[in-house]
Amino acid sequence: MSAASAASSVSARLPVFPWDKLEPYKATAAAHPDGIVDLSVGTPVDPVPEVIQKALVDAADSPGYPTVWGTSRLRDALVGWTERRLGAVAMEHENVLPVVGSKELVAWLPTQLGLGPGDRVGYPRLAYPTYEVGARLARAEPVVYDDPTELDPDGLKLLWLNSPSNPTGRVLAEDELTRVVAWAREHGVLVFSDECYLELGWEADPVSVLHPDVCGGSYEGIVAVHSLSKRSNLAGYRAAFLAGDRAVLGELLQIRKHGGMMTPAPVQAAAVAALGDDAHVAEQRARYAARRAALRGALEAHGFRIEHSEASLYLWATRDEPCWDTVARLAERGILVAPGDFYGPAGERFVRVAFTATDERVEAAVKRLA
């Protein structure tokens, strides 16, 4: 087998990259006289807070290699934030691990855990596509669920939770999380909880699996995934982290050392600043709350029904028609949204509408929907 064919055999395991299918509709929306309003991707558009930029610049003279585990200052900040914000107790440095953005972690976690053929990875029926990609990269079997406790635990090595959900914005209640964690522990299933939108609850107060009321004060068999991309406008910095079971994180640390998966030193310094400042998070929440309210009202007046969406940066919306018909209809008005089937067949009659555009672009979308 040639080198090229070997590489293509890996890509053949993966689904078609969904965003490529959206390009014709993006072109239609871009042809609008007043320009495109791109609500398809949840990428931050507001400035990086000055306190974070200053920390990055001050650490710019970093000629040496950073460490995979991060500086002691960063680990102190991660421990402090999980205790202050998530209600975690008795956290130590061994309970945290920085990663190079959360998508990298999601995509390569099954491989780094040593999963392969015969192993199964569970994730929600409507979900971020990278959960499936990670399973397929490892040659493990991806399995979807409505209720994870209804899965056959035989061979189930990794269970992804996602609350608040991308794409639906659904929040899992504390008692539901508690039930799932107990079931997973009973069956020896490792739980990774993607909580990247936890600080963006609107009509619900999301709870972490690390909260003692959920995990009983023990982190055995559970790891939470958090990101600074959304809450601090740091998607361009690639700053995220894990918190939870020290045995699991210790193993990942050793593997990631060999792989050179290091968060750049200036980004580590910026993350310390971001985790230590709550004011910018409150300011950004207020921006998103206003954009969310404006878009929700405009969509509902335009005949959409909004389901879930009690948290995160998205509105999960439907006109009770095929999602691509909705995408086309909105593209004609210069508005680009994500079709729900990007997140699984169960989303085929929904679209995901991000409210991460600027105030000016959100205002333009509201006018076009009027």
Side-chain angles (χ1 to χ4, degrees), residues 52-53 55-64 66 237 263-272:
I52 301 174
Q53 291 191 47
L56 184 84
V57 171
D58 288 348
D61 186 14
S62 297
Y237 283 44
T263 302
V267 174
Q268 292 189 32
V272 172

Side-chain angles (χ1 to χ4, degrees), residues 110-111 113-121 135 138-141 155 157:
T111 298
L113 291 174
L115 273 56
D119 297 326
R120 298 160 68 233
V121 176
R139 295 184 182 271
E141 179 189 355
K157 297 297 179 64

Side-chain angles (χ1 to χ4, degrees), residues 295-364:
L295 282 171
R296 180 166 193 153
L299 287 166
E300 289 177 334
H302 194 71
F304 281 87
R305 185 176 74 256
I306 308 298
E307 292 195 0
H308 295 300
S309 306
E310 57 259 34
S312 83
L313 290 178
Y314 313 107
L315 293 167
W316 188 237
T318 181
R319 288 175 57 94
D320 294 309
E321 65 185 7
C323 61
W324 287 99
D325 289 355
T326 307
V327 169
R329 182 194 301 272
L330 291 175
E332 292 292 339
R333 292 174 178 259
I335 301 169
L336 189 68
V337 298
D341 66 3
F342 275 12
Y343 308 95
E348 65 184 3
R349 297 179 75 81
F350 286 81
V351 293
R352 193 195 74 170
V353 183
F355 41 90
T356 52
T358 64
D359 291 343
E360 183 273 331
R361 288 289 84 186
V362 168
E363 183 181 351

Side-chain angles (χ1 to χ4, degrees), residues 245-271:
D245 190 324
R246 65 171 58 209
V248 174
L249 299 190
E251 178 68 10
L252 289 175
L253 174 59
Q254 295 306 314
I255 294 164
R256 294 171 69 85
K257 282 181 179 179
H258 283 291
M261 304 178 96
M262 301 172 283
T263 302
V267 174
Q268 292 189 32

Side-chain angles (χ1 to χ4, degrees), residues 204-223:
D205 188 12
V207 179
S208 172
V209 292
L210 302 182
H211 194 284
D213 290 347
V214 173
C215 67
S218 166
Y219 306 124
E220 180 183 358
I222 58 170
V223 176

Side-chain angles (χ1 to χ4, degrees), residues 21-368:
K21 295 168 60 178
L22 203 55
E23 284 303 314
Y25 301 91
K26 185 174 185 178
T28 298
H32 190 280
D34 188 34
I36 188 173
V37 178
D38 192 345
L39 307 179
S40 67
V41 183
T43 187
V45 297
D46 300 302
V48 173
E50 287 187 12
V51 65
I52 301 174
Q53 291 191 47
K54 183 178 186 303
L56 184 84
V57 171
D58 288 348
D61 186 14
S62 297
Y65 289 109
T67 65
V68 172
W69 201 17
T71 62
S72 60
R73 286 187 65 232
L74 176 57
R75 283 177 265 135
D76 282 343
L78 296 175
V79 166
W81 185 85
T82 57
E83 292 184 340
R84 184 179 82 252
R85 183 61 186 85
L86 306 182
V89 295
M91 293 289 286
E92 298 178 347
H93 283 197
E94 289 76 14
N95 296 113
V96 295
L97 178 65
V99 295
V100 192
S102 58
K103 184 170 186 175
E104 166 262 302
L105 182 279
V106 174
W108 293 107
L109 179 65
T111 298
Q112 292 177 10
L113 291 174
L115 273 56
D119 297 326
R120 298 160 68 233
V121 176
Y123 58 92
R125 188 173 301 281
L126 279 166
Y128 183 49
T130 313
Y131 303 136
E132 177 187 358
V133 167
R136 293 192 182 280
L137 283 170
R139 295 184 182 271
E141 179 189 355
V143 291
V144 299
Y145 66 76
D146 295 307
D147 178 346
T149 67
E150 295 177 355
L151 290 173
D152 180 356
D154 185 38
L156 185 65
K157 297 297 179 64
L158 174 62
L159 178 65
W160 280 107
L161 303 181
N162 181 207
S163 175
S165 162
N166 174 14
T168 69
R170 181 188 174 207
V171 172
L172 298 178
E174 181 182 294
D175 59 351
E176 191 170 359
L177 286 171
T178 304
R179 178 177 63 85
V180 172
V181 167
W183 176 87
R185 283 174 168 168
E186 178 185 353
H187 295 286
V189 178
L190 177 61
V191 172
F192 265 67
S193 180
D194 180 346
E195 303 174 353
C196 289
Y197 295 91
L198 184 135
E199 293 202 280
L200 295 163
W202 311 112
E203 296 161 11
D205 188 12
V207 179
S208 172
V209 292
L210 302 182
H211 194 284
D213 290 347
V214 173
C215 67
S218 166
Y219 306 124
E220 180 183 358
I222 58 170
V223 176
V225 182
H226 284 271
S227 168
L228 303 185
S229 294
K230 314 299 186 183
R231 46 101 65 198
S232 297
N233 300 336
L234 294 189
Y237 283 44
R238 311 314 301 136
F241 65 93
L242 309 177
D245 190 324
R246 65 171 58 209
V248 174
L249 299 190
E251 178 68 10
L252 289 175
L253 174 59
Q254 295 306 314
I255 294 164
R256 294 171 69 85
K257 282 181 179 179
H258 283 291
M261 304 178 96
M262 301 172 283
T263 302
V267 174
Q268 292 189 32
V272 172
L275 291 162
D277 179 69
D278 293 334
H280 77 273
V281 180
E283 290 173 9
Q284 190 60 44
R285 273 184 56 89
R287 292 188 191 104
Y288 284 141
R291 293 167 187 165
R292 177 182 183 270
L295 282 171
R296 180 166 193 153
L299 287 166
E300 289 177 334
H302 194 71
F304 281 87
R305 185 176 74 256
I306 308 298
E307 292 195 0
H308 295 300
S309 306
E310 57 259 34
S312 83
L313 290 178
Y314 313 107
L315 293 167
W316 188 237
T318 181
R319 288 175 57 94
D320 294 309
E321 65 185 7
C323 61
W324 287 99
D325 289 355
T326 307
V327 169
R329 182 194 301 272
L330 291 175
E332 292 292 339
R333 292 174 178 259
I335 301 169
L336 189 68
V337 298
D341 66 3
F342 275 12
Y343 308 95
E348 65 184 3
R349 297 179 75 81
F350 286 81
V351 293
R352 193 195 74 170
V353 183
F355 41 90
T356 52
T358 64
D359 291 343
E360 183 273 331
R361 288 289 84 186
V362 168
E363 183 181 351
V366 169
K367 289 179 179 176
R368 295 177 195 184

